[in-house]
Amino acid sequence: MTNLLSYAFMQNAIIAAILTSVITAIMGTIIVEKNMVSLSSGIAHTSFGGIGAGYFLGIEPIIGGLFFAVGASLGANKIQKSTGANTGTITSMFWSTGMALGILFIALTPGYPPDMMSYLFGDILSVNRAYLWIIGVLTIIILIATLSYFEYWKLYLFDENYAKVIGINIKHFDIVLYILIALSIVILIKVVGIILSLAMLTMPPAMAKMFTHKLKNMMLLSSLIGMIFTLAGLMISYYLNIPSGASIILFGALSYFLTVSVKKASKKSNT
Amino acid sequence: MNVIQIQNLHVNYGKIQALDNVNFNIKQGEFLGIIGPNGGGKTTLIKTILGMIEPSKGGVTTHEDTVIGYVPQLTTFDRKFPITVGEVIKTGHLPKRVMPFYKYSKEANQHVLAVMEQLDIAELFDRQIGQLSGGQMQKVLIARSLMNHPNVLILDEPTAGVDEDSRAHIFKMLQQLNTSITIIIISHNITALSPYLDRIIYINKQAHVHSDNHPTSGDVMEGDMCPIDWFIQGEKITKNEAYQAHDQKQKMASGVRK
Ligand SMILES: Nc1ncnc2c1ncn2[C@@H]1O[C@H](COP(=O)(O)OP(=O)(O)OP(=O)(O)O)[C@@H](O)[C@H]1O
Ligand SMILES: [Mg+2]
């Protein structure tokens, strides 16, 4: 264990796991409570198109992904507001178009095809110091944006219409939220991949909600649960020599279902 | 004095016409009931008053001192949201200008407790809203709407899904509030509500003012008679019988729907 921690790649992975847990706990709680899970997965998959475009144009793929993600999240919001179309419909359109563009761009890129698998599941063990700084700055931005307007976020998430009625201008909350979601997803893609970032955005908040009925506690508890998932997953991955993305998701899913069953059983024995 | 004037109001949702030339005034201090069939445009009318919907023609003028409190229809809430009763009510105190690191003042917190005391829900302060009955939740929303000291209170079906006892309690509470606040209430249950009301407006695309309690009010500018007057005149029955006939008809209509 001690010599495991002496590896620089392992230290980086642990710091990345902790920061990722904080980001996904806050953004995940918001996404779950605002019913934006399908929209978020739409954004995540759309960014795949941008990653492909990045390769094709020879720029950093994540930057391409970022443009696509922000565009998709603001675009989906705009289309939904102006046409009143179903969010699910818009989301799946963005989702499939993004993936299709990604594959098209990769096919058009000359030379040996890049490993797209790493964007689906990420590679937390390859995170370097420079990238840790990027994740750190994002964590701080998210903490400041949410904590400083916490009471307003509460109202925005619970009853947006009421905020409008009493004349609170929360229009920019929409935009800030959409940009933060896009930023978080794209930055997390490099660490944990599209699939794991979605799992991390939904599983810890869902589990935390079983134990608390306050928004702040839900965020705090989600961070803790996220850290347990990622760190345990990392250890399992190291000792069993399996991919870290898979071990984190599977450990999380197992814990979730165990908690649900224990909760159900204890509820039954109470009544 | 009129706190709200509605003139020549037309509202469309795309091709659907929801309100067609509605005209009436709301007087300071009155307790006004709004009735009408499902889809008649009641919610649309109050959303327009609240500024949530833009009229396609005509409009609503509010007196400059008017502060409106709003109690939305209960069906629009996610009752599983992780928030407590105390937290919900406090949000009514949030300043309009968004301020970073805003903390509720001592006065705000005391105001919350005082209003909860007044509405008889003080012991619910730490409950998650999913653990409330329909009537309790309504009182919580009423408490929240009182936080910004409104002089007009608009309620959208505050007694839907509420049992008879709590309903009577809510109506009495509103009557008390009515000593200082103008109250506009949408309801399907006019028999129970009518003893408290000054005036009834029937909305079915157009507005029909039932002027029984205010025979001199000259507010009806357009449109024909309220169906309640029609019941009374056409069938020579009492006011109460007319209300019951109206409620019965509503009940049957919603029964068929289910
Ligand atoms: N967002 C919307 N988009 C399109 N049409 C709408 C919308 N909201 C309401 N309508 C239509 O406008 C009309 C009036 O609806 P409104 O909700 O105001 O009725 P209501 O009197 O409040 O009915 P209820 O008693 O069922 O609450 C209906 O025909 C309804 O279908
Ligand atoms: Mg309605």
Side-chain angles (χ1 to χ4, degrees):
Chain A
M1 185 82 186
T2 35
N3 61 0
L4 174 63
L5 288 180
S6 66
Y7 293 124
F9 75 87
M10 205 59 185
Q11 293 168 2
N12 290 348
I14 288 172
I15 298 173
I18 290 173
L19 293 176
T20 299
S21 303
V22 175
I23 294 172
T24 52
I26 295 176
M27 295 316 294
T29 300
I30 292 177
I31 287 168
V32 167
E33 290 307 331
K34 196 79 183 162
N35 286 323
M36 293 169 92
V37 174
S38 76
L39 178 80
S40 305
S41 55
I43 294 172
H45 287 86
T46 309
S47 65
F48 195 79
I51 290 168
Y55 275 112
F56 180 65
L57 299 173
I59 55 171
E60 166 61 44
I62 282 294
I63 302 286
L66 188 62
F67 273 107
F68 270 56
V70 173
S73 75
L74 295 178
N77 182 28
K78 198 141 201 170
I79 295 175
Q80 208 255 325
K81 288 233 160 101
S82 60
T83 65
N86 184 303
T87 330
T89 317
I90 303 170
T91 304
S92 24
M93 248 164 50
F94 274 94
W95 175 318
S96 41
T97 313
M99 292 297 268
L101 281 175
I103 290 172
L104 177 69
F105 281 127
I106 302 253
L108 291 177
T109 307
Y112 197 71
D115 176 20
M116 295 310 280
M117 196 64 175
S118 77
Y119 288 100
L120 287 181
F121 280 95
D123 189 3
I124 200 167
L125 293 174
S126 70
V127 173
N128 59 24
R129 275 289 140 122
Y131 205 74
L132 274 187
W133 277 105
I134 297 180
I135 309 176
V137 169
L138 175 70
T139 312
I140 290 169
I141 291 175
I142 288 176
L143 280 172
I144 290 175
T146 47
L147 291 184
S148 60
Y149 295 103
F150 197 75
E151 294 301 326
Y152 288 93
W153 281 110
K154 223 189 264 174
L155 178 60
Y156 170 78
L157 294 173
F158 172 60
D159 192 358
E160 189 180 340
N161 273 332
Y162 194 72
K164 285 183 197 149
V165 169
I166 57 178
I168 298 176
N169 184 5
I170 42 149
K171 218 162 141 195
H172 49 282
F173 275 66
D174 265 340
I175 295 168
V176 169
L177 178 57
Y178 280 90
I179 291 176
L180 285 182
I181 291 176
L183 267 178
S184 308
I185 289 176
V186 170
I187 288 176
L188 293 179
I189 283 175
K190 182 121 183 182
V191 188
V192 290
I194 291 175
I195 300 192
L196 182 51
S197 63
L198 290 173
M200 284 293 290
L201 284 168
T202 48
M203 277 197 299
M207 206 160 140
K209 199 172 180 176
M210 291 188 240
F211 299 98
T212 176
H213 50 247
K214 283 202 160 188
L215 196 65
K216 199 173 259 170
N217 295 348
M218 193 169 152
M219 289 176 173
L220 281 172
L221 200 55
S222 298
S223 323
L224 214 70
I225 293 171
M227 288 175 203
I228 295 173
F229 285 3
T230 45
L231 296 179
L234 266 179
M235 294 305 138
I236 294 169
S237 134
Y238 182 81
Y239 286 109
L240 299 185
N241 198 21
I242 54 174
S244 58
S247 66
I248 295 172
I249 293 187
L250 293 177
F251 180 81
L254 196 68
S255 320
Y256 179 80
F257 288 117
L258 273 179
T259 315
V260 172
S261 340
V262 169
K263 269 254 156 186
K264 243 193 186 146
S266 72
K267 216 179 217 169
K268 246 181 210 155
S269 66
N270 275 346
T271 51
Chain B
M1 190 192 78
N2 291 323
V3 280
I4 294 170
Q5 299 183 6
I6 297 161
Q7 277 165 334
N8 189 24
L9 179 67
H10 293 72
V11 176
N12 298 329
Y13 295 102
K15 280 190 182 138
I16 301 170
Q17 188 181 37
L19 293 174
D20 174 21
N21 194 20
V22 169
N23 293 280
F24 68 92
N25 297 329
I26 299 166
K27 292 180 202 60
Q28 185 173 30
E30 86 173 321
F31 198 143
L32 176 71
I34 295 180
I35 61 172
N38 291 114
K42 305 179 293 296
T43 301
T44 303
L45 174 66
I46 60 168
K47 282 189 170 166
T48 315
I49 295 176
L50 289 163
M52 294 161 75
I53 295 176
E54 282 296 317
S56 40
K57 204 173 138 197
V60 177
T61 328
T62 47
H63 190 269
E64 55 180 331
D65 301 327
T66 306
V67 179
I68 297 179
Y70 173 50
V71 180
Q73 226 167 337
L74 206 53
T75 48
T76 57
F77 284 97
D78 169 16
R79 295 283 291 275
K80 287 200 179 118
F81 192 88
I83 195 166
T84 61
V85 167
E87 289 177 313
V88 170
I89 299 177
K90 274 185 201 173
T91 59
H93 259 295
L94 282 174
K96 281 187 192 177
R97 163 102 65 81
V98 179
M99 288 200 272
F101 297 105
Y102 178 76
K103 276 250 174 314
Y104 295 104
S105 66
K106 213 179 207 166
E107 291 77 45
N109 284 319
Q110 279 166 354
H111 186 212
V112 170
L113 291 178
V115 170
M116 288 182 78
E117 208 66 68
Q118 187 193 350
L119 303 190
D120 211 10
I121 50 171
E123 76 282 2
L124 302 178
F125 192 88
D126 281 319
R127 286 261 194 103
Q128 195 266 329
I129 54 161
Q131 303 163 344
L132 302 179
S133 71
Q136 288 172 327
M137 185 65 196
Q138 284 294 352
K139 288 183 201 171
V140 169
L141 295 180
I142 294 173
R144 179 181 70 171
S145 75
L146 295 174
M147 288 302 116
N148 59 345
H149 302 282
N151 53 14
V152 177
L153 186 58
I154 302 181
L155 306 100
D156 197 346
E157 297 199 39
T159 56
V162 170
D163 68 53
E164 256 171 64
D165 285 349
S166 323
R167 191 172 67 200
H169 190 229
I170 290 176
F171 287 160
K172 284 216 181 76
M173 216 170 68
L174 292 175
Q175 190 178 34
Q176 253 171 27
L177 292 171
N178 186 228
T179 52
S180 56
I181 301 176
T182 308
I183 294 187
I184 303 165
I185 178 171
I186 293 183
S187 178
H188 277 299
N189 201 299
I190 214 66
T191 313
L193 187 58
S194 67
Y196 306 93
L197 293 176
D198 294 322
R199 206 156 55 117
I200 296 168
I201 295 198
Y202 177 90
I203 304 274
N204 190 6
K205 272 198 190 180
Q206 298 183 326
H208 310 274
V209 180
H210 171 48
S211 51
D212 182 74
N213 298 336
H214 281 265
T216 51
S217 79
D219 281 335
V220 198
M221 299 174 203
E222 196 94 4
D224 43 343
M225 223 181 275
C226 171
I228 287 175
D229 289 321
W230 180 81
F231 272 128
I232 298 171
Q233 291 192 347
E235 316 203 359
K236 295 199 178 6
I237 51 176
T238 65
K239 191 173 82 180
N240 246 331
E241 283 168 336
Y243 291 150
Q244 275 163 19
H246 168 270
D247 286 350
Q248 193 57 39
K249 206 171 132 225
Q250 279 291 328
K251 226 181 259 169
M252 282 167 66
S254 55
V256 170
R257 216 167 281 259
K258 274 168 204 158

